[in-house]
Amino acid sequence: MAGKGGSAPATYSPSPTVQKKKTSIFQEDWVRPDGRGFHQCRPAFFRTGAVNAASGSAYAEFGNTKIIVSVFGPRESKKAMMYSDIGRLNCNVSYTTFASPVRGQGSDHKEYTAMLHKALEGAIILESFPKTTVDVFALVLESGGSDLPVVISCASLALADAGIMMYDLVASVSVSCLSKNLVIDPIFEEENSQDGSLMITCMPSRYEITQLTFTGEWSTPKIDEGMQLCLDACAKLAKIMRSCLKEAASDSQE
Amino acid sequence: MGFPDASKDLSSEMEVDAFRRLFPLKYFERHLAEAIRPDGRPLGKARDTTVVLGAVASANGSALVKIGSTTMLTAIKMEVMTPSLESPDEGCIAIDFHMPPICSPIVRPGRPAEAAPVISKQLSDTISSSGSIDLKELSLVTGKAAWMAYLDVYCLDADGALFDAALLSAVAALSHLQIPAVAMNDDGKIVLLSEDDGQKKAQEPVNKEKRNLTLRSIPFSLTCILHKNYILVDPTAEEESIMETVVTIALDTSGQLVSLYKPGGPVLAFTSAIQDCVALTRQRVKELKGILEEANSTMQVE
């Protein structure tokens, strides 16, 4: 059935093409499609121990964005690697074929792997596992917007579940600039019509930023406002992550 | 040999774990002698199985299946294609099995697991040879348009008996599949019919309304491990790695044999062993059929 001839036939999806409703954003009374306030994040759901086969794992659900992250290790580094007296971090982010509304589109985010690596690198105490590697693998089950920040937060929860030593939990939030408004935790449609975006990954208890990414046009007062929004949201997100870990620990003690 | 005397009292937790790691075969055989396995199951019992339909809202059909810890997520997305010249009134199903790096420590990104293409081919062979789907149901306009159903099975947690879970989730997703209502527009392209469509008059509905696929004789499978004289049903990953002879049997709901798969292994499968496996599979098929029907009826109530 699947193997009819060598090449796959060309197919198209019968869904209507998404029209960019960019004009409506310029209206004064524009409301976010899911009814949230401009400075309101989506409700966050976390659960650790989602994957039995991994040393540590976590599942995160922020609205329609669903991510699973597995952590393996510390385990033997590849034989080809040079000796290293600090540990190594290896990351990978991949999408399922059904993550985006149209099959196959929107899964071209190869840079997320490198960005996840840079975000987590600063927070992990690499000296605690010399000569070995910790692998962090993320799978995006459904992409509903703001994927990378959710992946980073979920990855740090999975690392905590695996018992990897870190300086602090890492929380990440992004903000989109839509004409004059700043909206936090954008969904897919908002990200597509944004003029600029800002993503901050920080360690809230230490008030230190591990990664900061700007795209698009930003003026200095907007930058200040955006960063403050993100840092406040990260602090709240870290509280939610901590309570999830505490719940999991108390459940396992019973 | 240098292994500790089996009758020695293994009093502390640490020693049991060490024994399990160092002498896995002896550890398992001690359990098998008492007709039980380390997780407490009798030899002929499969792990708890759950099926949840509609796990992926954006897909036309989906299912999440758990057999013990082994978790599979399947989603079906329908796209339109031009049917081939040899069969202008038939659609197509493309089945693909993925093992992402999250599911198991043996999978590395960029290097797909050895088991993945094997299971992928097994799945498409089993589903096509069971005859459960009539491809003519996937036709839209003879010669011009037909459905291509992309069935993607993702393993989210690999703990043995991957094929059983994958087949169950593929079959569950197919039973949940709803073919959307579409019409052909003026350019000859197929588009989705939306309820508030004012220009419906210009389009001729090709599919009047959403409908389900009719599935005849659904295939279910059971994997068993043969070790000496024992037959272990529904192995975990640890059991599969220690005792290497695996037999997978797929039967359909009418009791017919769909496939028998025994890829080598140190233990020879005599007729009696195969017959025992088939009998165990028959029982399992009844169980799985019940579980799938329950999941379907729960969906319909909602």
Side-chain angles (χ1 to χ4, degrees), chain B residues 223-252:
Chain B
T223 303
C224 305
I225 279 193
L226 301 179
H227 180 69
K228 296 193 181 161
N229 290 335
Y230 304 108
I231 299 181
L232 281 70
V233 156
D234 190 22
T236 60
E238 195 189 353
E239 290 168 351
E240 277 182 355
S241 65
I242 300 168
M243 298 171 271
E244 292 161 344
T245 312
V246 170
V247 176
T248 303
I249 297 187
L251 296 178
D252 67 20

Side-chain angles (χ1 to χ4, degrees), chain B residues 6 10 16-17 19-41 43 159 225 227-228 230 232-244:
Chain B
L10 296 166
V16 174
D17 276 340
F19 190 71
R20 186 176 191 159
R21 289 298 203 100
L22 293 171
F23 309 105
L25 199 52
K26 292 285 162 203
Y27 179 80
F28 271 93
E29 283 182 346
R30 285 217 62 199
H31 286 82
L32 294 179
E34 316 283 331
I36 205 166
R37 291 144 90 169
D39 55 1
R41 285 188 283 155
L43 300 190
D159 191 19
I225 279 193
H227 180 69
K228 296 193 181 161
Y230 304 108
L232 281 70
V233 156
D234 190 22
T236 60
E238 195 189 353
E239 290 168 351
E240 277 182 355
S241 65
I242 300 168
M243 298 171 271
E244 292 161 344

Side-chain angles (χ1 to χ4, degrees), chain A:
Chain A
M1 227 183 264
K4 248 193 189 148
S7 58
T11 59
Y12 61 89
S13 170
S15 313
T17 47
V18 177
Q19 278 162 352
K20 288 215 167 161
K21 300 198 184 85
K22 217 176 166 144
T23 45
S24 66
I25 293 177
F26 294 113
Q27 286 167 6
E28 286 301 313
D29 54 352
W30 177 70
V31 170
R32 298 179 78 171
D34 52 359
R36 282 186 283 151
F38 287 178
H39 296 180
Q40 192 185 350
C41 290
R42 291 173 291 189
F45 173 75
F46 287 109
R47 199 170 66 90
T48 53
V51 175
N52 228 289
S55 316
S57 61
Y59 169 72
E61 193 172 313
F62 281 50
N64 280 338
T65 302
K66 301 178 175 108
I67 316 263
I68 291 187
V69 176
S70 281
V71 169
F72 295 101
R75 56 182 178 179
E76 207 184 326
S77 294
K78 279 199 220 153
K79 307 239 170 17
M81 302 252 182
M82 276 173 27
Y83 172 82
S84 153
D85 52 6
I86 58 167
R88 266 186 259 264
L89 177 65
N90 179 31
C91 298
N92 185 264
V93 178
S94 56
Y95 277 66
T96 55
T97 52
F98 44 83
S100 49
V102 178
R103 186 180 189 267
Q105 276 180 16
S107 45
D108 191 19
H109 291 291
K110 301 203 173 80
E111 71 274 14
Y112 282 2
T113 298
M115 291 173 79
L116 175 64
H117 189 280
K118 290 269 176 276
L120 295 175
E121 216 176 21
I124 300 180
I125 306 181
L126 295 169
E127 292 78 15
S128 66
F129 49 95
K131 300 183 273 185
T132 52
T133 300
V134 163
D135 289 315
V136 178
F137 299 136
L139 181 68
V140 180
L141 298 173
E142 198 176 327
S143 159
S146 216
D147 298 338
L148 187 57
V150 181
V151 169
I152 294 174
S153 312
C154 190
S156 106
L157 205 59
L159 283 163
D161 187 47
I164 308 286
M165 290 187 73
M166 294 192 282
Y167 293 110
D168 186 16
L169 281 178
V170 171
S172 176
V173 169
S174 73
V175 150
S176 262
C177 188
L178 294 166
S179 65
K180 287 195 278 301
N181 304 314
L182 283 180
V183 294
I184 201 169
D185 200 15
I187 57 173
F188 194 66
E189 291 97 4
E190 291 165 353
E191 275 184 337
N192 281 345
S193 38
Q194 68 188 1
D195 296 323
S197 80
L198 154 63
M199 182 182 85
I200 282 192
T201 309
C202 74
M203 296 191 277
S205 316
R206 301 171 71 101
Y207 208 57
E208 286 176 1
I209 291 184
T210 63
Q211 191 184 52
L212 172 66
T213 310
F214 276 99
T215 66
E217 237 182 76
W218 289 83
S219 60
T220 315
K222 272 237 149 20
I223 290 179
D224 290 335
E225 197 192 333
M227 284 183 70
Q228 203 49 57
L229 270 177
C230 281
L231 289 170
D232 292 338
C234 282
K236 295 201 183 108
L237 190 55
K239 276 203 204 93
I240 297 177
M241 286 161 69
R242 230 172 277 275
S243 63
C244 168
L245 284 171
K246 278 195 200 142
E247 245 180 73
S250 62
D251 280 345
S252 61
Q253 264 172 10
E254 283 159 23

Side-chain angles (χ1 to χ4, degrees), chain B residues 182-197:
Chain B
V182 290
M184 187 174 260
N185 70 6
D186 311 316
D187 303 324
K189 280 192 101 173
I190 303 276
V191 285
L192 274 181
L193 271 182
S194 48
E195 278 93 39
D196 51 51
D197 225 354

